[in-house]
Amino acid sequence: MSDATKTAMVGQGDSTTQSPSPGPQGSSHRGHQRGAVSQKAISHRNFRNGLIFITPNFLGFICLTLIPTLTLFYIAFTKWSAFGNPIPNGLKNWVRLSHDKIFMTSVWNTVYYSIVHIPLTLAISFALAVLLNSKLRGRAFFRTVAFFPYITSLVAAAQVWAMLFDPKSGPINQLIGLFTSNVPGWLGSTAWAMPAVIIVGTWREVGYYMILLLAGLQTIPTELYEAAELDGTNGWQRFWKVTVPMMRPTLFFVVVTLTIGSFKILDLTLIMTDGGPGTSTLVLAQYIYRVAFERGDFGYASAVSLVLLFICMVVTLIQFWYNNSKED
């Protein structure tokens, strides 16, 4: 038997044993079923993977943020020294707050630091980001230099700045002394200690926010600048008409994070001045630390913490409201 004949016989055998093929409607129906099952499986898989990814973060939020915050509300209405059980004392902590002059001073110092530090840091960060986004020679080097203070040890930086601010032997006052004999006392002066802290805080954080703004600048399409240039606009007009509007989401994020960080300032004042001289640089976060861990009055410290939380929430909500009104 030839090979061609064998092949023909096999083909006939297959045709006889093969089940009838489904019609066009049955095939389409099963295709829809398989598509629906596949889509359902994909949805289940995505839901399961999503849960796996968010569960650690969600548990961390519950354990490290939500539960401590709810506990804070309870302890703020008690007298507690971290030993034994909290003793409810009603509104005594809040009445005490209204007569606490050091608390009022710390609120003022926190607001003073934030009002000066936020616009100063934002302006310098934005200017540096725009400059280092241009075709500047060696811009990679300058970006690294600008970001370097943020990763520098805060303790080492504070010690170096304390030497620079030394009223007698510091190079800053020696430079100012070339123009005037009335040099500031910096960290030893109640009037100049907070400006010195603001200068160091701005110097340290400018690089971080510059990186955020630089990333935002690089998302602006170059076609917009080319179209504005064809319309005859100069560089300043392109900055206000193209750069600033396109950077609004990034600027809003930077302002919110910068505001919250400024109101929670603690480490810098703790290392540089320890709140002094007197109470001239005592901020709210440091006052909470003093009351809680130095005096052991956690109930009153919780009440002060709630005030700080309330201030941050109000300021942030105002910023969200202003941003939404501008977008509308």
Side-chain angles (χ1 to χ4, degrees):
M1 187 179 293
S2 65
D3 295 339
T5 306
K6 291 180 180 178
T7 304
M9 292 176 65
V10 170
Q12 290 175 357
D14 290 344
S15 63
T16 55
T17 56
Q18 191 175 4
S19 61
S21 60
Q25 292 182 352
S27 176
S28 176
H29 179 66
R30 278 197 289 272
H32 284 301
Q33 283 185 331
R34 283 197 296 271
V37 172
S38 177
Q39 188 66 30
K40 192 174 180 181
I42 292 173
S43 299
H44 280 293
R45 186 192 61 188
N46 291 340
F47 180 73
R48 185 185 64 249
N49 292 339
L51 282 180
I52 292 173
F53 275 106
I54 68 170
T55 297
N57 191 27
F58 191 65
L59 290 176
F61 169 76
I62 292 176
C63 296
L64 302 177
T65 302
L66 184 61
I67 293 177
T69 303
L70 295 177
T71 307
L72 184 72
F73 277 90
Y74 169 68
I75 297 177
F77 294 90
T78 66
K79 181 176 179 58
W80 189 45
S81 63
F83 297 100
N85 296 323
I87 302 172
N89 63 354
L91 298 175
K92 287 185 179 179
N93 290 332
W94 301 94
V95 175
R96 180 180 166 189
L97 271 180
S98 62
H99 299 89
D100 190 345
K101 293 182 180 179
I102 300 178
F103 164 72
M104 298 304 297
T105 301
S106 65
V107 171
W108 162 246
N109 288 337
T110 305
V111 174
Y112 174 22
Y113 176 86
S114 302
I115 287 178
V116 180
H117 177 253
I118 293 170
L120 188 63
T121 303
L122 180 63
I124 298 176
S125 301
F126 201 15
L128 277 176
V130 172
L131 178 64
L132 296 179
N133 192 45
S134 63
K135 296 178 181 177
L136 182 69
R137 189 173 182 180
R139 59 181 181 179
F141 170 76
F142 291 113
R143 288 174 183 175
T144 305
V145 170
F147 187 71
F148 190 73
Y150 188 72
I151 60 175
T152 305
S153 167
L154 181 61
V155 177
Q159 293 298 324
V160 171
W161 275 101
M163 291 189 290
L164 296 176
F165 280 127
D166 189 276
K168 295 181 180 179
S169 60
I172 294 177
N173 270 7
Q174 290 181 1
L175 180 62
I176 297 175
L178 298 176
F179 305 97
T180 177
S181 59
N182 188 19
V183 293
W186 296 117
L187 300 180
S189 167
T190 55
W192 286 97
M194 184 58 83
V197 172
I198 293 173
I199 290 172
V200 179
T202 303
W203 166 82
R204 188 167 183 270
E205 296 180 5
V206 153
Y208 172 72
Y209 293 108
M210 180 207 71
I211 293 296
L212 296 180
L213 294 168
L214 189 61
L217 285 172
Q218 293 179 354
T219 63
I220 301 177
T222 55
E223 291 81 4
L224 295 179
Y225 291 105
E226 293 171 356
E229 194 171 359
L230 290 175
D231 289 339
T233 58
N234 55 34
W236 186 251
Q237 290 172 328
R238 288 195 292 274
F239 174 76
W240 283 107
K241 300 295 184 183
V242 178
T243 304
V244 173
M246 295 299 293
M247 284 290 291
R248 185 182 296 279
T250 309
L251 286 171
F252 175 68
F253 172 76
V254 168
V255 169
V256 170
T257 55
L258 184 56
T259 301
I260 296 174
S262 298
F263 276 101
K264 295 194 303 180
I265 178 69
L266 169 64
D267 47 5
L268 194 59
T269 58
L270 194 65
I271 296 172
M272 286 190 68
T273 62
D274 194 22
T279 56
S280 58
T281 59
L282 181 66
V283 291
L284 262 176
Q286 188 175 359
Y287 186 54
I288 294 168
Y289 174 81
R290 283 187 179 181
V291 173
F293 295 99
E294 295 181 4
R295 302 178 190 171
D297 193 350
F298 283 86
Y300 188 58
S302 299
V304 181
S305 300
L306 282 182
V307 173
L308 178 58
L309 175 65
F310 178 74
I311 292 174
C312 290
M313 285 181 60
V314 169
V315 174
T316 304
L317 289 175
I318 291 174
Q319 289 172 335
F320 269 92
W321 168 79
Y322 180 77
N323 184 66
N324 292 335
S325 65
K326 286 295 181 181
E327 287 183 350
D328 294 339

